[in-house]
Amino acid sequence: MLRSSQPLTGPNRKRCREDEVLLGTVLDEGERGFIIDTRSAQAAKQARMTGGGTEPKSSYPQWRRLHRPLERGRPLQESFIKLVEACNDTSANMDRWLSRLESCRWLSHVKAALSTACLAAQCMDREEASVLVHGAEGTDTTLLVTALAQVILDPSCRTLVGFQGLLEREWIEAGHPFHLRCARSAYSHARLKQEAPLFLLFLDCVWQLSRQFPFSLEFSERLLLTLFDNAYASAYGTFLCNNEKERCLCKVKENTHSLWAWLNQPGEKTKYLNPLYSHNTLVIWPSVEPQSIQLWQGLFFRWIRSSQYVDEAWAEIQRLVEG
């Protein structure tokens, strides 16, 4: 699996021989690969006017391009805001609640992300083909798809340590702009252009996987909630800045503590483990049917509904497993 930003073909359809050679070396003679573009065909076409574009079939004959548009930026942030507002409206009756849940379209974004990740995983697992994923800059929806596909395919990414490595590799080192995307919460009245809960969408998709495969992920929902909290407000430096260059300039590693070092302390680590975990070497294929995608209540209802009984139930499960 490969990831990148969009090719800079521009309106004149410029070629980049180095890119063509690079992708050509990935495939042996007679093999084919898939390029999954997380923009619509129309959006990719429009990107040419500002210098971007797509890989022309004539220059990449062994690669087949598939468009699977995923929302990012303002539409995704507005969806998040509408969902939080709906969840906090405790006066709404059933019809109004269901209507608001549907109109915010958050679960549609979850379904689309999982579907695209499954497509990438299927190309690799069932077609035994190489896959290149990209959007515009390659630091948002691209990372969402590649990270989810690895959780689906690779059992090592479903362990606590492996998942941390995945986040470090696919989100932090790959340059997801956490500072811009997570500058404010859904409760903010400001509507900044750069904000978008892409990382939250990823965590929600992982939660869907954990719910559908309760024995296959070594970590629990508590880890996902902790990661969400630390992406937006943290005492640690792990999610600071927008890329590695900024982190080096700010000397983040020298001046802050790592979230991973704290999570991996023996006294802390056990809090984030799934007591039902059983190592599963198989690929986990999630269902993306409407009835299979559920609202992440542990996150979106956490401020209006006590989790006491759920916490007590998990504590009892932990006690029984250890006993």
Side-chain angles (χ1 to χ4, degrees):
M1 180 178 286
L2 307 147
R3 50 174 160 75
S4 71
S5 58
Q6 64 182 325
L8 303 180
T9 59
N12 298 322
R13 293 179 176 269
K14 291 180 294 184
R15 295 178 65 176
C16 179
R17 304 288 184 180
E18 292 82 1
D19 281 359
E20 294 169 20
V21 171
L22 182 64
L23 286 188
T25 59
V26 173
L27 305 176
D28 292 330
E29 188 175 348
E31 286 186 338
R32 65 171 182 166
F34 294 92
I35 298 172
I36 298 178
D37 195 325
T38 59
R39 304 165 295 175
S40 66
Q42 182 62 29
K45 187 176 180 180
Q46 290 173 346
R48 287 200 205 116
M49 306 316 297
T50 55
T54 57
E55 295 84 356
K57 187 177 294 186
S58 58
S59 302
Y60 300 88
Q62 290 178 269
W63 293 85
R64 179 186 174 192
R65 192 171 68 248
L66 305 171
H67 289 277
R68 292 295 184 272
L70 297 175
E71 290 284 9
R72 64 190 190 107
R74 182 66 65 84
L76 194 61
Q77 180 72 4
E78 291 294 335
S79 177
F80 177 37
I81 291 169
K82 288 178 181 177
L83 175 58
V84 170
E85 289 174 347
C87 291
N88 287 340
D89 183 7
T90 55
S91 64
N93 59 29
M94 179 62 77
D95 290 340
R96 178 167 171 75
W97 157 248
L98 292 175
S99 175
R100 293 184 69 175
L101 179 61
E102 182 179 9
S103 65
C104 76
R105 298 193 66 247
W106 181 260
L107 296 183
S108 296
H109 298 313
V110 172
K111 172 183 165 61
L114 282 172
S115 297
T116 307
C118 283
L119 173 63
Q122 286 170 351
C123 289
M124 296 184 69
D125 182 68
R126 296 178 179 175
E127 300 287 333
E128 296 185 348
S130 296
V131 175
L132 167 64
V133 183
H134 71 66
E137 292 81 19
T139 56
D140 288 295
T141 51
T142 300
L143 306 183
L144 173 66
V145 173
T146 57
L148 281 175
Q150 289 176 69
V151 175
I152 291 169
L153 289 170
D154 188 353
S156 68
C157 292
R158 303 194 287 264
T159 65
L160 181 61
V161 173
F163 190 64
Q164 292 173 25
L166 176 75
L167 297 180
E168 187 72 29
R169 179 177 69 250
E170 296 298 314
W171 288 90
I172 297 169
E173 293 177 354
H176 180 65
F178 281 97
H179 177 67
L180 289 173
R181 300 292 183 263
C182 304
R184 299 175 187 271
S185 73
Y187 292 97
S188 172
H189 294 294
R191 295 290 188 268
L192 300 182
K193 185 179 179 181
Q194 298 283 351
E195 284 185 304
L198 266 302
F199 187 61
L200 167 59
L201 182 58
F202 167 72
L203 296 177
D204 197 327
C205 291
V206 174
W207 178 80
Q208 303 288 339
L209 291 172
S210 72
R211 192 188 61 78
Q212 293 188 27
F213 300 92
F215 305 106
S216 295
L217 276 68
E218 188 186 24
F219 49 88
S220 66
E221 178 187 47
R222 186 170 183 176
L223 175 70
L224 302 178
L225 293 172
T226 300
L227 291 170
F228 166 75
D229 290 340
N230 279 272
Y232 279 87
S234 180
Y236 301 90
T238 302
F239 296 116
L240 288 180
C241 303
N242 293 309
N243 50 53
E244 283 296 290
K245 180 180 178 181
E246 287 186 12
R247 280 186 279 274
C248 288
L249 290 173
C250 295
K251 296 184 177 180
V252 167
K253 290 185 178 179
E254 293 86 348
N255 297 326
T256 68
H257 293 287
S258 167
L259 174 64
W260 313 134
W262 172 64
L263 288 177
N264 291 323
Q265 294 179 99
E268 289 292 325
K269 186 176 180 179
T270 54
K271 299 176 184 177
Y272 302 98
L273 294 176
N274 173 15
L276 302 177
Y277 174 68
S278 176
H279 183 65
N280 178 8
T281 60
L282 302 176
V283 177
I284 54 174
W285 297 110
S287 169
V288 293
E289 294 301 318
Q291 60 268 37
S292 299
I293 306 296
Q294 294 190 11
L295 182 66
W296 186 4
Q297 297 182 35
L299 174 67
F300 294 111
F301 289 159
R302 67 194 293 206
W303 294 282
I304 61 171
R305 192 178 68 183
S306 172
S307 62
Q308 174 189 347
Y309 299 116
V310 174
D311 294 340
E312 290 176 353
W314 276 109
E316 180 63 16
I317 291 172
Q318 183 79 48
R319 187 187 66 79
L320 292 172
V321 170
E322 292 176 349

